[in-house]
């Protein structure tokens, strides 16, 4: 079961909440695992449902009309590159690695309308996903009107998949 929570206490993402226009956090129980937070993210992202990729494709086509980035697909990370080979600054699918430890990875992207950061954080028996969005202008605010509700559905769906992983 996916639970709505506060950003995990002591996490790096919790330090990035100041001034955020939007943020959310969710948690799901997972079996004990030695896998890193990035490994778990990659496992889930590589199993992205087709409907999510369809929404990302639609998003990319629509935002291109107003000059925003085409991010590609959520499952766009190379299946050949192991999690251990990623470093801060590397691209992982639609995101750049912004922060990386065994228990937390922050992935993000910045465009002219906003900065988004997504944390995947392992805590005792749980996987937590927190999103923090800082807006740059009115376009960012307008962008979030349709995106924020869809984001919540997508994150919950992806976390349900993570709960079924053999972590």
């Amino acid at each position: 079961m996916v639970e709505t929570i506060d950003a995990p206490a002591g996490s790096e993402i919790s330090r990035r909440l100041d001034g955020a226009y939007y943020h959310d956090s969710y948690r799901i129980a997972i079996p004990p695992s030695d896998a890193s937070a990035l490994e778990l993210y990659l496992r889930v992202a590589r199993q992205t449902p087709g409907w999510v990729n369809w929404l990302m494709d639609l998003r990319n086509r629509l935002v291109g009309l107003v000059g925003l980035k085409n991010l590609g697909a959520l499952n766009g990370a190379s299946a050949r590159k192991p999690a251990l080979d990623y470093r801060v600054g590397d691209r992982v699918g639609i995101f750049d690695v912004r922060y990386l430890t065994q228990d937390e990875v922050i992935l993000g992207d910045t465009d002219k309308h906003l900065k988004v950061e997504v944390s995947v954080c392992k805590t005792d028996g749980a996987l937590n996903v927190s999103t923090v969005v800082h807006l740059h202008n009115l376009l960012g605010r307008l962008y979030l009107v349709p995106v924020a509700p869809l984001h919540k559905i997508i994150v919950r769906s992806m976390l349900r998949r993570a709960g079924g992983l053999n972590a």
Side-chain angles (χ1 to χ4, degrees):
M1 180 174 106
V2 177
E3 300 174 75
T4 302
I5 60 166
D6 291 328
S11 65
E12 178 62 25
I13 199 70
S14 68
R15 294 177 185 79
R16 299 177 185 212
L17 291 171
D18 265 1
Y21 177 79
Y22 176 88
H23 64 88
D24 62 22
S25 294
Y26 301 96
R27 170 179 56 210
I28 192 162
I30 60 169
S33 172
D34 291 332
S36 71
L38 180 55
E39 286 176 275
L40 294 174
Y41 169 78
L42 289 170
R43 287 181 195 173
V44 173
R46 288 175 180 145
Q47 298 177 32
T48 300
W51 64 268
V52 173
N53 286 327
W54 182 86
L55 286 172
M56 280 301 298
D57 184 54
L58 178 63
R59 175 246 177 243
N60 289 329
R61 283 188 269 136
L62 292 175
V63 301
L65 300 173
V66 292
L68 300 180
K69 289 182 196 175
N70 178 332
L71 296 174
L74 192 58
N75 64 350
S78 171
R80 291 172 284 172
K81 186 172 181 177
L84 286 173
D85 289 350
Y86 283 96
R87 301 288 177 260
V88 171
D90 288 350
R91 193 81 177 163
V92 180
I94 68 171
F95 297 116
D96 295 321
V97 178
R98 302 263 172 99
Y99 176 84
L100 183 60
T101 65
Q102 175 70 16
D103 292 331
E104 184 177 15
V105 60
I106 297 178
L107 305 159
D109 194 71
T110 302
D111 204 348
K112 63 185 177 185
H113 63 309
L114 57 74
K115 175 177 85 172
V116 62
E117 292 183 305
V118 177
S119 163
V120 176
C121 182
K122 286 175 50 178
T123 56
D124 291 333
L127 189 63
N128 308 277
V129 174
S130 304
T131 304
V132 176
V133 179
H134 289 87
L135 298 183
H136 298 312
N137 52 38
L138 177 61
L139 180 57
R141 188 179 304 254
L142 294 172
Y143 175 85
L144 279 182
V145 170
V147 169
L150 289 170
H151 160 80
K152 291 176 183 185
I153 293 167
I154 291 168
V155 170
R156 288 175 163 282
S157 173
M158 299 294 282
L159 267 176
R160 281 190 292 277
R161 285 177 175 261
L165 285 179
N166 182 4

